[in-house]
Short mmCIF file of all heavy atoms in Angstrom, two decimals:
data_model
loop_
_atom_site.label_atom_id
_atom_site.label_comp_id
_atom_site.label_asym_id
_atom_site.label_seq_id
_atom_site.Cartn_x
_atom_site.Cartn_y
_atom_site.Cartn_z
N MET L 17 -46.05 -100.59 -26.03
CA MET L 17 -45.46 -101.61 -26.94
C MET L 17 -44.06 -102.03 -26.50
O MET L 17 -43.31 -101.24 -26.07
CB MET L 17 -45.38 -100.92 -28.28
CG MET L 17 -44.93 -101.95 -29.37
SD MET L 17 -44.96 -101.10 -30.99
CE MET L 17 -46.80 -100.99 -31.24
N MET L 18 -43.84 -103.31 -26.50
CA MET L 18 -42.63 -103.89 -26.11
C MET L 18 -41.66 -103.81 -27.25
O MET L 18 -41.85 -104.24 -28.41
CB MET L 18 -42.79 -105.39 -25.57
CG MET L 18 -43.64 -105.56 -24.41
SD MET L 18 -42.77 -104.81 -23.01
CE MET L 18 -41.42 -105.96 -22.86
N HIS L 19 -40.35 -103.40 -26.80
CA HIS L 19 -39.27 -103.40 -27.82
C HIS L 19 -38.14 -104.21 -27.29
O HIS L 19 -37.99 -104.39 -26.12
CB HIS L 19 -38.85 -101.89 -28.10
CG HIS L 19 -39.81 -101.09 -28.77
ND1 HIS L 19 -40.73 -100.39 -28.07
CD2 HIS L 19 -40.11 -100.89 -30.09
CE1 HIS L 19 -41.55 -99.71 -28.89
NE2 HIS L 19 -41.08 -99.98 -30.14
N GLN L 20 -37.29 -104.72 -28.31
CA GLN L 20 -36.19 -105.39 -27.92
C GLN L 20 -35.04 -105.14 -28.84
O GLN L 20 -35.33 -104.86 -30.00
CB GLN L 20 -36.56 -106.95 -28.05
CG GLN L 20 -35.70 -107.93 -27.44
CD GLN L 20 -36.34 -109.34 -27.52
OE1 GLN L 20 -36.85 -109.77 -28.65
NE2 GLN L 20 -36.27 -110.03 -26.50
N MET L 21 -33.91 -105.14 -28.30
CA MET L 21 -32.74 -104.91 -29.22
C MET L 21 -32.38 -106.26 -29.87
O MET L 21 -32.28 -107.23 -29.15
CB MET L 21 -31.49 -104.38 -28.31
CG MET L 21 -31.77 -102.99 -27.93
SD MET L 21 -30.44 -102.51 -26.63
CE MET L 21 -28.96 -102.54 -27.63
N ARG L 22 -31.95 -106.17 -31.02
CA ARG L 22 -31.48 -107.37 -31.76
C ARG L 22 -30.18 -107.06 -32.59
O ARG L 22 -30.13 -106.03 -33.23
CB ARG L 22 -32.52 -108.01 -32.71
CG ARG L 22 -32.20 -109.38 -33.12
CD ARG L 22 -33.35 -109.99 -33.99
NE ARG L 22 -34.35 -110.57 -33.12
CZ ARG L 22 -34.41 -111.83 -32.76
NH1 ARG L 22 -33.51 -112.68 -33.05
NH2 ARG L 22 -35.46 -112.19 -31.98
N ALA L 23 -29.18 -107.95 -32.58
CA ALA L 23 -27.93 -107.64 -33.20
C ALA L 23 -27.97 -107.93 -34.67
O ALA L 23 -28.59 -108.93 -35.19
CB ALA L 23 -26.84 -108.43 -32.51
N GLU L 24 -27.12 -107.08 -35.36
CA GLU L 24 -26.79 -107.42 -36.73
C GLU L 24 -25.40 -107.84 -36.75
O GLU L 24 -24.46 -107.18 -36.27
CB GLU L 24 -26.99 -106.18 -37.57
CG GLU L 24 -26.50 -106.33 -39.07
CD GLU L 24 -26.43 -104.97 -39.79
OE1 GLU L 24 -27.24 -104.06 -39.50
OE2 GLU L 24 -25.68 -104.88 -40.76
N TYR L 25 -24.99 -108.96 -37.34
CA TYR L 25 -23.64 -109.49 -37.40
C TYR L 25 -22.92 -108.69 -38.43
O TYR L 25 -23.41 -108.17 -39.44
CB TYR L 25 -23.65 -111.00 -37.70
CG TYR L 25 -24.18 -111.81 -36.60
CD1 TYR L 25 -25.16 -112.75 -36.85
CD2 TYR L 25 -23.57 -111.82 -35.34
CE1 TYR L 25 -25.61 -113.54 -35.85
CE2 TYR L 25 -24.06 -112.66 -34.33
CZ TYR L 25 -25.15 -113.55 -34.55
OH TYR L 25 -25.53 -114.38 -33.58
N GLY L 26 -21.54 -108.75 -38.32
CA GLY L 26 -20.71 -108.28 -39.40
C GLY L 26 -20.76 -109.07 -40.63
O GLY L 26 -21.63 -110.13 -40.69
N VAL L 27 -19.96 -108.76 -41.71
CA VAL L 27 -20.21 -109.46 -43.06
C VAL L 27 -19.92 -110.95 -42.94
O VAL L 27 -20.40 -111.68 -43.65
CB VAL L 27 -19.31 -108.82 -44.03
CG1 VAL L 27 -19.85 -107.43 -44.42
CG2 VAL L 27 -17.87 -108.67 -43.52
N GLY L 28 -19.09 -111.31 -42.04
CA GLY L 28 -18.71 -112.78 -41.94
C GLY L 28 -19.71 -113.58 -41.04
O GLY L 28 -19.45 -114.79 -40.79
N GLY L 29 -20.71 -112.99 -40.60
CA GLY L 29 -21.76 -113.63 -39.83
C GLY L 29 -21.30 -113.67 -38.31
O GLY L 29 -20.51 -112.85 -37.90
N PRO L 30 -21.92 -114.65 -37.58
CA PRO L 30 -21.66 -114.63 -36.06
C PRO L 30 -20.22 -114.62 -35.77
O PRO L 30 -19.85 -113.95 -34.68
CB PRO L 30 -22.29 -116.01 -35.71
CG PRO L 30 -23.41 -116.13 -36.81
CD PRO L 30 -22.95 -115.58 -38.05
N PRO L 31 -19.33 -115.21 -36.45
CA PRO L 31 -17.87 -115.14 -35.98
C PRO L 31 -17.25 -113.77 -35.97
O PRO L 31 -16.34 -113.53 -35.20
CB PRO L 31 -17.04 -115.98 -37.04
CG PRO L 31 -18.10 -116.95 -37.62
CD PRO L 31 -19.34 -116.13 -37.69
N ASP L 32 -17.89 -112.88 -36.85
CA ASP L 32 -17.35 -111.51 -36.82
C ASP L 32 -17.96 -110.62 -35.62
O ASP L 32 -17.55 -109.53 -35.42
CB ASP L 32 -17.94 -110.92 -38.19
CG ASP L 32 -16.81 -110.91 -39.24
OD1 ASP L 32 -15.81 -111.72 -39.06
OD2 ASP L 32 -16.96 -110.38 -40.26
N GLY L 33 -18.90 -111.26 -35.00
CA GLY L 33 -19.50 -110.55 -33.77
C GLY L 33 -20.48 -109.58 -34.16
O GLY L 33 -20.88 -109.45 -35.36
N VAL L 34 -20.94 -108.81 -33.21
CA VAL L 34 -22.18 -107.85 -33.43
C VAL L 34 -21.48 -106.62 -34.16
O VAL L 34 -20.50 -105.99 -33.67
CB VAL L 34 -22.70 -107.49 -32.14
CG1 VAL L 34 -23.85 -106.33 -32.38
CG2 VAL L 34 -23.33 -108.67 -31.46
N ARG L 35 -22.15 -106.28 -35.25
CA ARG L 35 -21.71 -104.96 -35.94
C ARG L 35 -22.59 -103.89 -35.54
O ARG L 35 -22.01 -102.65 -35.35
CB ARG L 35 -21.82 -105.22 -37.46
CG ARG L 35 -21.34 -104.00 -38.24
CD ARG L 35 -21.54 -104.25 -39.79
NE ARG L 35 -22.92 -103.76 -40.16
CZ ARG L 35 -23.12 -102.54 -40.59
NH1 ARG L 35 -22.16 -101.66 -40.61
NH2 ARG L 35 -24.33 -102.31 -41.03
N LEU L 36 -23.86 -104.00 -35.22
CA LEU L 36 -24.76 -103.01 -34.94
C LEU L 36 -26.02 -103.49 -34.28
O LEU L 36 -26.36 -104.66 -34.54
CB LEU L 36 -25.23 -102.41 -36.31
CG LEU L 36 -25.97 -101.03 -36.39
CD1 LEU L 36 -24.90 -99.80 -35.82
CD2 LEU L 36 -26.33 -100.60 -37.81
N TRP L 37 -26.54 -102.73 -33.33
CA TRP L 37 -27.70 -103.10 -32.66
C TRP L 37 -28.96 -102.41 -33.27
O TRP L 37 -28.89 -101.20 -33.41
CB TRP L 37 -27.68 -102.73 -31.14
CG TRP L 37 -26.67 -103.67 -30.43
CD1 TRP L 37 -25.37 -103.42 -30.08
CD2 TRP L 37 -27.00 -104.97 -29.83
NE1 TRP L 37 -24.92 -104.42 -29.41
CE2 TRP L 37 -25.86 -105.44 -29.24
CE3 TRP L 37 -28.18 -105.76 -29.88
CZ2 TRP L 37 -25.76 -106.68 -28.65
CZ3 TRP L 37 -28.05 -107.05 -29.29
CH2 TRP L 37 -26.93 -107.47 -28.65
N HIS L 38 -29.98 -103.21 -33.46
CA HIS L 38 -31.24 -102.62 -34.06
C HIS L 38 -32.27 -102.94 -33.02
O HIS L 38 -32.11 -103.51 -31.97
CB HIS L 38 -31.67 -103.37 -35.30
CG HIS L 38 -30.82 -103.09 -36.44
ND1 HIS L 38 -30.90 -102.07 -37.35
CD2 HIS L 38 -29.67 -103.80 -36.93
CE1 HIS L 38 -29.91 -102.18 -38.34
NE2 HIS L 38 -29.19 -103.14 -38.07
N MET L 39 -33.41 -102.19 -33.18
CA MET L 39 -34.62 -102.38 -32.31
C MET L 39 -35.69 -103.04 -33.06
O MET L 39 -36.05 -102.64 -34.24
CB MET L 39 -35.10 -101.01 -31.75
CG MET L 39 -36.00 -101.01 -30.55
SD MET L 39 -35.17 -101.63 -29.06
CE MET L 39 -34.54 -100.05 -28.40
N VAL L 40 -36.30 -104.05 -32.46
CA VAL L 40 -37.41 -104.70 -33.08
C VAL L 40 -38.68 -104.54 -32.18
O VAL L 40 -38.57 -104.33 -30.98
CB VAL L 40 -37.17 -106.25 -33.34
CG1 VAL L 40 -36.01 -106.37 -34.28
CG2 VAL L 40 -36.88 -107.00 -32.03
N ARG L 41 -39.87 -104.64 -32.82
CA ARG L 41 -41.04 -104.66 -31.93
C ARG L 41 -41.40 -106.18 -31.46
O ARG L 41 -41.40 -107.07 -32.40
CB ARG L 41 -42.24 -104.15 -32.73
CG ARG L 41 -42.11 -102.75 -33.23
CD ARG L 41 -43.42 -102.29 -33.92
NE ARG L 41 -43.23 -100.89 -34.43
CZ ARG L 41 -42.76 -100.64 -35.65
NH1 ARG L 41 -42.52 -101.64 -36.46
NH2 ARG L 41 -42.75 -99.35 -36.12
N GLY L 42 -41.60 -106.24 -30.26
CA GLY L 42 -41.90 -107.72 -29.74
C GLY L 42 -40.72 -108.63 -30.05
O GLY L 42 -39.59 -108.34 -29.97
N ALA L 43 -41.16 -109.81 -30.72
CA ALA L 43 -40.22 -110.88 -31.14
C ALA L 43 -39.92 -110.81 -32.54
O ALA L 43 -39.47 -111.82 -33.13
CB ALA L 43 -40.70 -112.18 -30.55
N GLU L 44 -40.25 -109.83 -33.27
CA GLU L 44 -40.07 -109.69 -34.66
C GLU L 44 -38.62 -109.83 -35.13
O GLU L 44 -37.67 -109.57 -34.28
CB GLU L 44 -40.61 -108.41 -35.26
CG GLU L 44 -42.11 -108.32 -35.34
CD GLU L 44 -42.63 -106.98 -35.97
OE1 GLU L 44 -41.79 -106.23 -36.61
OE2 GLU L 44 -43.91 -106.69 -35.72
N GLN L 45 -38.41 -110.27 -36.39
CA GLN L 45 -36.99 -110.42 -36.82
C GLN L 45 -36.63 -109.34 -37.72
O GLN L 45 -35.52 -109.28 -38.23
CB GLN L 45 -36.82 -111.82 -37.58
CG GLN L 45 -36.56 -112.90 -36.70
CD GLN L 45 -36.65 -114.24 -37.48
OE1 GLN L 45 -37.44 -115.12 -37.08
NE2 GLN L 45 -35.80 -114.43 -38.42
N VAL L 46 -37.65 -108.44 -38.07
CA VAL L 46 -37.27 -107.29 -38.93
C VAL L 46 -37.17 -106.14 -38.03
O VAL L 46 -38.16 -105.87 -37.23
CB VAL L 46 -38.36 -107.20 -39.97
CG1 VAL L 46 -38.15 -105.95 -40.85
CG2 VAL L 46 -38.53 -108.38 -40.82
N ALA L 47 -36.06 -105.39 -38.09
CA ALA L 47 -35.89 -104.15 -37.31
C ALA L 47 -36.75 -103.12 -37.73
O ALA L 47 -37.35 -103.12 -38.79
CB ALA L 47 -34.46 -103.74 -37.48
N MET L 48 -36.96 -102.12 -36.82
CA MET L 48 -37.81 -100.96 -37.11
C MET L 48 -37.41 -100.21 -38.37
O MET L 48 -38.14 -99.45 -39.01
CB MET L 48 -37.89 -100.13 -35.95
CG MET L 48 -38.58 -100.81 -34.75
SD MET L 48 -38.57 -99.98 -33.17
CE MET L 48 -39.88 -98.88 -33.41
N CYS L 49 -36.07 -100.24 -38.68
CA CYS L 49 -35.49 -99.53 -39.95
C CYS L 49 -35.78 -100.29 -41.09
O CYS L 49 -35.45 -99.86 -42.17
CB CYS L 49 -34.10 -99.20 -39.72
SG CYS L 49 -33.04 -100.71 -39.62
N GLY L 50 -36.29 -101.56 -40.94
CA GLY L 50 -36.56 -102.34 -42.18
C GLY L 50 -35.57 -103.53 -42.43
O GLY L 50 -35.82 -104.31 -43.30
N ARG L 51 -34.50 -103.47 -41.71
CA ARG L 51 -33.48 -104.55 -41.86
C ARG L 51 -33.87 -105.86 -41.21
O ARG L 51 -34.35 -106.03 -40.21
CB ARG L 51 -32.20 -104.05 -41.11
CG ARG L 51 -31.09 -105.04 -41.17
CD ARG L 51 -29.76 -104.49 -41.72
NE ARG L 51 -28.78 -105.44 -42.03
CZ ARG L 51 -27.96 -105.38 -43.03
NH1 ARG L 51 -27.94 -104.15 -43.77
NH2 ARG L 51 -27.14 -106.32 -43.37
N GLU L 52 -33.72 -106.93 -42.10
CA GLU L 52 -33.96 -108.30 -41.59
C GLU L 52 -32.78 -108.84 -40.80
O GLU L 52 -31.59 -108.77 -41.26
CB GLU L 52 -34.24 -109.25 -42.78
CG GLU L 52 -35.72 -109.23 -43.32
CD GLU L 52 -36.02 -110.38 -44.20
OE1 GLU L 52 -35.76 -111.50 -43.74
OE2 GLU L 52 -36.63 -110.14 -45.17
N LEU L 53 -33.14 -109.36 -39.74
CA LEU L 53 -32.05 -109.80 -38.85
C LEU L 53 -32.12 -111.36 -38.62
O LEU L 53 -33.28 -111.94 -38.69
CB LEU L 53 -32.28 -109.12 -37.43
CG LEU L 53 -32.13 -107.58 -37.50
CD1 LEU L 53 -32.58 -106.91 -36.25
CD2 LEU L 53 -30.79 -107.16 -38.01
N GLU L 54 -31.01 -112.02 -38.30
CA GLU L 54 -30.97 -113.37 -38.14
C GLU L 54 -31.87 -113.87 -36.86
O GLU L 54 -31.82 -113.21 -35.85
CB GLU L 54 -29.56 -113.96 -38.02
CG GLU L 54 -28.77 -113.78 -39.21
CD GLU L 54 -27.51 -114.51 -39.22
OE1 GLU L 54 -27.53 -115.66 -38.65
OE2 GLU L 54 -26.59 -114.05 -39.81
N ALA L 55 -32.59 -115.01 -37.06
CA ALA L 55 -33.40 -115.47 -36.06
C ALA L 55 -32.48 -115.81 -34.71
O ALA L 55 -32.96 -115.60 -33.67
CB ALA L 55 -34.07 -116.69 -36.43
N GLY L 56 -31.27 -116.20 -34.90
CA GLY L 56 -30.44 -116.68 -33.80
C GLY L 56 -29.62 -115.45 -33.24
O GLY L 56 -28.75 -115.76 -32.38
N ALA L 57 -29.80 -114.24 -33.78
CA ALA L 57 -28.97 -113.09 -33.29
C ALA L 57 -29.18 -112.82 -31.90
O ALA L 57 -30.35 -112.98 -31.42
CB ALA L 57 -29.18 -111.87 -34.23
N PRO L 58 -28.16 -112.37 -31.24
CA PRO L 58 -28.35 -112.03 -29.86
C PRO L 58 -29.36 -110.86 -29.57
O PRO L 58 -29.59 -110.00 -30.43
CB PRO L 58 -27.01 -111.49 -29.35
CG PRO L 58 -26.10 -111.83 -30.42
CD PRO L 58 -26.83 -112.06 -31.59
N VAL L 59 -30.11 -110.95 -28.51
CA VAL L 59 -31.05 -109.89 -28.19
C VAL L 59 -30.68 -109.27 -26.83
O VAL L 59 -29.91 -109.88 -25.98
CB VAL L 59 -32.44 -110.48 -28.11
CG1 VAL L 59 -32.99 -110.88 -29.46
CG2 VAL L 59 -32.61 -111.51 -27.07
N ARG L 60 -31.12 -107.98 -26.60
CA ARG L 60 -30.89 -107.40 -25.30
C ARG L 60 -32.17 -106.65 -24.89
O ARG L 60 -32.97 -106.38 -25.71
CB ARG L 60 -29.76 -106.34 -25.44
CG ARG L 60 -28.44 -107.03 -25.62
CD ARG L 60 -27.33 -105.96 -25.60
NE ARG L 60 -27.10 -105.32 -24.15
CZ ARG L 60 -25.87 -105.20 -23.72
NH1 ARG L 60 -24.75 -105.47 -24.42
NH2 ARG L 60 -25.77 -104.73 -22.55
N GLU L 61 -32.31 -106.29 -23.64
CA GLU L 61 -33.45 -105.48 -23.27
C GLU L 61 -33.30 -104.05 -23.82
O GLU L 61 -32.21 -103.55 -24.01
CB GLU L 61 -33.29 -105.28 -21.62
CG GLU L 61 -33.46 -106.63 -20.92
CD GLU L 61 -34.91 -107.11 -20.98
OE1 GLU L 61 -35.86 -106.37 -20.92
OE2 GLU L 61 -34.93 -108.34 -21.05
N ALA L 62 -34.43 -103.55 -24.11
CA ALA L 62 -34.55 -102.28 -24.77
C ALA L 62 -33.92 -101.21 -23.98
O ALA L 62 -33.37 -100.21 -24.48
CB ALA L 62 -35.95 -101.86 -25.07
N VAL L 63 -33.84 -101.32 -22.69
CA VAL L 63 -33.23 -100.27 -21.87
C VAL L 63 -31.71 -100.17 -21.96
O VAL L 63 -31.10 -99.29 -21.51
CB VAL L 63 -33.54 -100.48 -20.31
CG1 VAL L 63 -34.99 -100.20 -20.04
CG2 VAL L 63 -33.11 -101.86 -19.89
N ASP L 64 -31.14 -101.19 -22.71
CA ASP L 64 -29.62 -101.18 -22.90
C ASP L 64 -29.29 -100.37 -24.13
O ASP L 64 -28.17 -100.13 -24.47
CB ASP L 64 -29.15 -102.62 -23.14
CG ASP L 64 -29.04 -103.36 -21.75
OD1 ASP L 64 -29.05 -102.68 -20.83
OD2 ASP L 64 -28.99 -104.61 -21.86
N TRP L 65 -30.32 -99.76 -24.84
CA TRP L 65 -30.17 -98.93 -26.02
C TRP L 65 -29.11 -97.86 -25.71
O TRP L 65 -29.29 -97.14 -24.68
CB TRP L 65 -31.42 -98.45 -26.51
CG TRP L 65 -31.35 -97.75 -27.81
CD1 TRP L 65 -31.34 -96.46 -28.11
CD2 TRP L 65 -31.23 -98.45 -29.17
NE1 TRP L 65 -31.20 -96.22 -29.41
CE2 TRP L 65 -31.16 -97.34 -30.22
CE3 TRP L 65 -31.17 -99.76 -29.57
CZ2 TRP L 65 -31.08 -97.74 -31.46
CZ3 TRP L 65 -31.18 -100.08 -30.88
CH2 TRP L 65 -31.03 -99.00 -31.81
N GLY L 66 -28.11 -97.77 -26.46
CA GLY L 66 -27.07 -96.64 -26.26
C GLY L 66 -26.06 -96.99 -25.18
O GLY L 66 -25.24 -96.10 -24.92
N LYS L 67 -26.12 -98.06 -24.62
CA LYS L 67 -25.16 -98.39 -23.58
C LYS L 67 -24.26 -99.55 -23.94
O LYS L 67 -23.55 -100.09 -23.06
CB LYS L 67 -25.98 -98.81 -22.21
CG LYS L 67 -26.86 -97.75 -21.68
CD LYS L 67 -27.66 -98.18 -20.54
CE LYS L 67 -28.63 -97.14 -20.11
NZ LYS L 67 -29.57 -97.65 -19.05
N THR L 68 -24.39 -99.98 -25.16
CA THR L 68 -23.53 -101.11 -25.62
C THR L 68 -22.20 -100.58 -26.10
O THR L 68 -22.19 -99.50 -26.76
CB THR L 68 -24.26 -102.00 -26.66
OG1 THR L 68 -24.62 -101.08 -27.74
CG2 THR L 68 -25.39 -102.63 -26.17
N PRO L 69 -21.12 -101.46 -26.12
CA PRO L 69 -19.91 -100.99 -26.72
C PRO L 69 -20.03 -100.95 -28.26
O PRO L 69 -19.32 -100.15 -28.96
CB PRO L 69 -18.92 -102.20 -26.31
CG PRO L 69 -19.68 -103.25 -25.82
CD PRO L 69 -21.07 -102.76 -25.42
N GLU L 70 -20.93 -101.68 -28.89
CA GLU L 70 -21.18 -101.58 -30.28
C GLU L 70 -22.14 -100.50 -30.59
O GLU L 70 -22.87 -100.09 -29.75
CB GLU L 70 -21.79 -102.89 -30.80
CG GLU L 70 -20.97 -104.16 -30.48
CD GLU L 70 -21.28 -104.80 -29.12
OE1 GLU L 70 -22.22 -104.35 -28.54
OE2 GLU L 70 -20.57 -105.72 -28.68
N LEU L 71 -22.19 -100.14 -31.76
CA LEU L 71 -23.07 -99.00 -32.17
C LEU L 71 -24.51 -99.41 -32.26
O LEU L 71 -24.80 -100.58 -32.50
CB LEU L 71 -22.64 -98.37 -33.59
CG LEU L 71 -21.34 -97.75 -33.64
CD1 LEU L 71 -20.83 -97.31 -35.13
CD2 LEU L 71 -21.34 -96.42 -32.78
N CYS L 72 -25.41 -98.43 -32.10
CA CYS L 72 -26.82 -98.72 -32.26
C CYS L 72 -27.25 -98.00 -33.57
O CYS L 72 -26.83 -96.90 -33.97
CB CYS L 72 -27.66 -98.02 -31.13
SG CYS L 72 -27.36 -99.03 -29.60
N CYS L 73 -28.21 -98.54 -34.24
CA CYS L 73 -28.77 -98.14 -35.57
C CYS L 73 -29.39 -96.78 -35.29
O CYS L 73 -30.40 -96.68 -34.49
CB CYS L 73 -29.72 -99.17 -36.15
SG CYS L 73 -30.64 -98.56 -37.51
N HIS L 74 -28.96 -95.70 -35.93
CA HIS L 74 -29.60 -94.38 -35.77
C HIS L 74 -31.05 -94.37 -36.26
O HIS L 74 -31.93 -93.72 -35.57
CB HIS L 74 -28.86 -93.41 -36.56
CG HIS L 74 -27.55 -93.03 -35.81
ND1 HIS L 74 -26.67 -92.01 -36.32
CD2 HIS L 74 -26.92 -93.67 -34.82
CE1 HIS L 74 -25.68 -92.02 -35.59
NE2 HIS L 74 -25.73 -92.87 -34.55
N THR L 75 -31.43 -95.15 -37.31
CA THR L 75 -32.79 -95.07 -37.79
C THR L 75 -33.74 -95.73 -36.78
O THR L 75 -34.72 -95.16 -36.46
CB THR L 75 -32.88 -95.81 -39.19
OG1 THR L 75 -31.81 -95.26 -40.00
CG2 THR L 75 -34.23 -95.62 -39.74
N CYS L 76 -33.24 -96.85 -36.27
CA CYS L 76 -34.13 -97.50 -35.18
C CYS L 76 -34.29 -96.58 -34.09
O CYS L 76 -35.28 -96.54 -33.51
CB CYS L 76 -33.48 -98.90 -34.79
SG CYS L 76 -33.70 -100.23 -36.03
N GLY L 77 -33.21 -95.87 -33.64
CA GLY L 77 -33.21 -95.11 -32.53
C GLY L 77 -34.23 -93.98 -32.69
O GLY L 77 -34.96 -93.64 -31.72
N ALA L 78 -34.39 -93.47 -33.86
CA ALA L 78 -35.29 -92.35 -34.11
C ALA L 78 -36.84 -92.86 -33.97
O ALA L 78 -37.66 -92.33 -33.32
CB ALA L 78 -35.22 -91.82 -35.48
N TYR L 79 -37.00 -94.11 -34.39
CA TYR L 79 -38.35 -94.69 -34.30
C TYR L 79 -38.73 -94.97 -32.87
O TYR L 79 -39.77 -94.79 -32.46
CB TYR L 79 -38.43 -96.05 -35.08
CG TYR L 79 -38.61 -95.85 -36.62
CD1 TYR L 79 -37.64 -96.38 -37.47
CD2 TYR L 79 -39.84 -95.30 -37.03
CE1 TYR L 79 -37.83 -96.21 -38.91
CE2 TYR L 79 -40.02 -95.10 -38.48
CZ TYR L 79 -38.99 -95.62 -39.36
OH TYR L 79 -39.15 -95.44 -40.66
N VAL L 80 -37.74 -95.50 -32.18
CA VAL L 80 -37.99 -95.83 -30.69
C VAL L 80 -38.37 -94.55 -29.96
O VAL L 80 -39.35 -94.71 -29.14
CB VAL L 80 -36.75 -96.56 -30.22
CG1 VAL L 80 -36.89 -96.63 -28.64
CG2 VAL L 80 -36.65 -97.88 -30.73
N LEU L 81 -37.65 -93.55 -30.19
CA LEU L 81 -37.90 -92.39 -29.38
C LEU L 81 -39.32 -91.81 -29.73
O LEU L 81 -39.93 -91.22 -28.80
CB LEU L 81 -36.89 -91.23 -29.71
CG LEU L 81 -35.53 -91.51 -29.12
CD1 LEU L 81 -34.56 -90.36 -29.58
CD2 LEU L 81 -35.64 -91.44 -27.57
N ARG L 82 -39.75 -92.05 -30.88
CA ARG L 82 -41.19 -91.56 -31.25
C ARG L 82 -42.23 -92.51 -30.66
O ARG L 82 -43.23 -92.03 -30.21
CB ARG L 82 -41.25 -91.48 -32.83
CG ARG L 82 -42.30 -90.56 -33.32
CD ARG L 82 -42.08 -90.33 -34.74
NE ARG L 82 -42.32 -91.54 -35.67
CZ ARG L 82 -41.91 -91.60 -36.85
NH1 ARG L 82 -41.42 -90.51 -37.44
NH2 ARG L 82 -42.14 -92.68 -37.44
N GLU L 83 -41.86 -93.79 -30.51
CA GLU L 83 -42.86 -94.70 -30.05
C GLU L 83 -42.89 -94.80 -28.50
O GLU L 83 -43.92 -95.15 -27.93
CB GLU L 83 -42.77 -96.09 -30.69
CG GLU L 83 -43.14 -96.14 -32.10
CD GLU L 83 -43.26 -97.61 -32.62
OE1 GLU L 83 -43.18 -98.52 -31.77
OE2 GLU L 83 -43.37 -97.82 -33.81
N SER L 84 -41.81 -94.65 -27.97
CA SER L 84 -41.57 -94.84 -26.42
C SER L 84 -40.76 -93.67 -25.90
O SER L 84 -39.62 -93.84 -25.54
CB SER L 84 -40.82 -96.17 -26.29
OG SER L 84 -41.42 -97.19 -27.01
N PRO L 85 -41.35 -92.59 -25.79
CA PRO L 85 -40.73 -91.33 -25.19
C PRO L 85 -40.14 -91.69 -23.81
O PRO L 85 -39.08 -91.15 -23.51
CB PRO L 85 -41.85 -90.38 -25.08
CG PRO L 85 -42.81 -90.75 -26.02
CD PRO L 85 -42.85 -92.32 -26.08
N TYR L 86 -40.79 -92.57 -22.97
CA TYR L 86 -40.24 -92.84 -21.76
C TYR L 86 -38.85 -93.44 -21.78
O TYR L 86 -38.02 -93.35 -20.93
CB TYR L 86 -41.22 -93.77 -20.94
CG TYR L 86 -41.29 -95.16 -21.39
CD1 TYR L 86 -40.50 -96.14 -20.89
CD2 TYR L 86 -42.22 -95.49 -22.48
CE1 TYR L 86 -40.53 -97.36 -21.33
CE2 TYR L 86 -42.29 -96.79 -22.94
CZ TYR L 86 -41.40 -97.74 -22.36
OH TYR L 86 -41.44 -99.02 -22.86
N LEU L 87 -38.75 -94.31 -22.88
CA LEU L 87 -37.45 -95.00 -23.07
C LEU L 87 -36.23 -94.02 -23.25
O LEU L 87 -35.27 -94.11 -22.76
CB LEU L 87 -37.51 -95.93 -24.24
CG LEU L 87 -36.47 -97.04 -24.37
CD1 LEU L 87 -36.47 -97.93 -23.16
CD2 LEU L 87 -36.79 -97.85 -25.50
N GLY L 88 -36.69 -92.94 -24.01
CA GLY L 88 -35.58 -91.90 -24.37
C GLY L 88 -35.24 -91.19 -23.06
O GLY L 88 -34.12 -90.86 -22.71
N ALA L 89 -36.31 -90.98 -22.21
CA ALA L 89 -36.10 -90.16 -21.00
C ALA L 89 -35.16 -90.88 -20.01
O ALA L 89 -34.39 -90.30 -19.36
CB ALA L 89 -37.48 -90.03 -20.34
N GLU L 90 -35.08 -92.24 -20.09
CA GLU L 90 -34.21 -92.98 -19.20
C GLU L 90 -32.72 -92.79 -19.66
O GLU L 90 -31.89 -93.09 -18.83
CB GLU L 90 -34.53 -94.48 -19.34
CG GLU L 90 -35.77 -94.84 -18.67
CD GLU L 90 -36.09 -96.32 -18.81
OE1 GLU L 90 -35.29 -97.10 -19.25
OE2 GLU L 90 -37.24 -96.69 -18.56
N HIS L 91 -32.54 -92.31 -20.81
CA HIS L 91 -31.18 -92.06 -21.17
C HIS L 91 -30.59 -90.68 -20.98
O HIS L 91 -29.47 -90.46 -21.20
CB HIS L 91 -31.07 -92.47 -22.74
CG HIS L 91 -31.27 -93.91 -23.04
ND1 HIS L 91 -31.68 -94.40 -24.25
CD2 HIS L 91 -31.45 -94.93 -22.17
CE1 HIS L 91 -31.94 -95.65 -24.15
NE2 HIS L 91 -31.80 -96.01 -22.96
N GLN L 92 -31.40 -89.90 -20.58
CA GLN L 92 -31.01 -88.48 -20.37
C GLN L 92 -30.30 -88.23 -19.06
O GLN L 92 -30.41 -88.98 -18.14
CB GLN L 92 -32.24 -87.49 -20.39
CG GLN L 92 -32.70 -87.39 -21.86
CD GLN L 92 -34.02 -86.70 -22.04
OE1 GLN L 92 -34.48 -86.18 -21.03
NE2 GLN L 92 -34.68 -86.69 -23.12
ZN1 ZN K 3 -32.07 -100.42 -37.46
#
């Protein structure tokens, strides 16, 4: 299953920059933790999980490790 990182903006929207990175399945706009994300929010390759200066959503991280063990292995 393909995953993609998608950004959640700060309270002020895009001008506030990225607050948190979530993980979505395919091109969905709803994160694995259930959070709805903006259609125009930045995306990143799933392999960048944990490598961004911004924080990653812990709930999404737990789901990803369960669905894609190989992805977790790349971070060890
Ligand atoms: Zn999340």
Side-chain angles (χ1 to χ4, degrees):
M17 185 176 290
M18 294 293 293
H19 294 89
Q20 194 173 44
M21 291 170 62
R22 191 176 281 269
E24 173 189 335
Y25 291 124
V27 288
D32 266 9
V34 176
R35 187 179 86 86
L36 195 64
W37 288 96
H38 293 270
M39 195 70 90
V40 299
R41 296 185 183 93
E44 286 182 15
Q45 271 170 246
V46 179
M48 296 172 80
C49 65
R51 175 129 198 147
E52 273 195 54
L53 303 169
E54 293 195 35
V59 295
R60 291 184 74 134
E61 295 290 321
V63 291
D64 285 339
W65 189 257
K67 297 174 185 170
T68 55
E70 303 88 8
L71 291 175
C72 293
C73 171
H74 285 187
T75 307
C76 282
Y79 280 118
V80 168
L81 285 177
R82 203 162 63 193
E83 288 194 8
S84 309
Y86 71 92
L87 195 60
E90 286 177 12
H91 297 162
Q92 287 168 8

